[in-house]
Amino acid sequence: MERKLFGPMGFNMKYPFSIGDLRDSATCLQNYMDNSGGGKIPWQDLKYIFGEIMYGGHIVNDFDRLLANEYLNFYMKDELLDETEMYPFAEDEKG
């Protein structure tokens, strides 16, 4: 009960991410992919745009921002276009 006096902080805070954020990120990604001409994908640029501008603008806690950037580092790389394991810690269906 005493924790409620201080309000949400860090990991127990709900951030106001919306469908609009996802839509705008998808549009940005589509523009980058269309303009890359089949060349190298600018992962660093995309990670910055998504992690610091699109979604990072909502994040107020430094540790939450670090976590969000680590997710981007894990997923946004060339292996994403191959058959990368999207859930690396999930057990197989046999348990």
Side-chain angles (χ1 to χ4, degrees):
M1 288 304 272
E2 187 176 322
R3 176 71 188 103
K4 289 186 177 186
L5 297 175
F6 299 102
M9 295 175 60
F11 288 111
N12 61 359
M13 180 178 212
K14 183 176 180 182
Y15 289 108
F17 301 133
S18 68
I19 296 297
D21 295 322
L22 181 61
R23 182 199 60 231
D24 295 343
S25 296
T27 301
C28 180
L29 177 62
Q30 185 66 45
N31 288 338
Y32 263 85
M33 296 298 281
D34 290 345
N35 294 328
S36 71
K40 186 166 173 42
I41 298 171
W43 293 116
Q44 289 301 107
D45 293 350
L46 291 171
K47 284 191 261 188
Y48 180 79
I49 290 170
F50 297 151
E52 299 296 329
I53 299 171
M54 298 292 201
Y55 288 98
H58 296 294
I59 300 174
V60 296
N61 182 285
D62 290 337
F63 290 114
D64 290 346
R65 184 181 310 277
L66 179 64
L67 179 66
N69 285 325
E70 284 305 311
Y71 275 116
L72 288 173
N73 288 332
F74 179 80
Y75 286 113
M76 298 191 76
K77 53 189 173 186
D78 288 331
E79 290 83 17
L80 177 68
L81 304 176
D82 299 333
E83 292 187 20
T84 189
E85 188 174 354
M86 298 301 282
Y87 303 101
F89 303 112
E91 294 182 18
D92 61 6
E93 57 273 355
K94 296 178 183 171

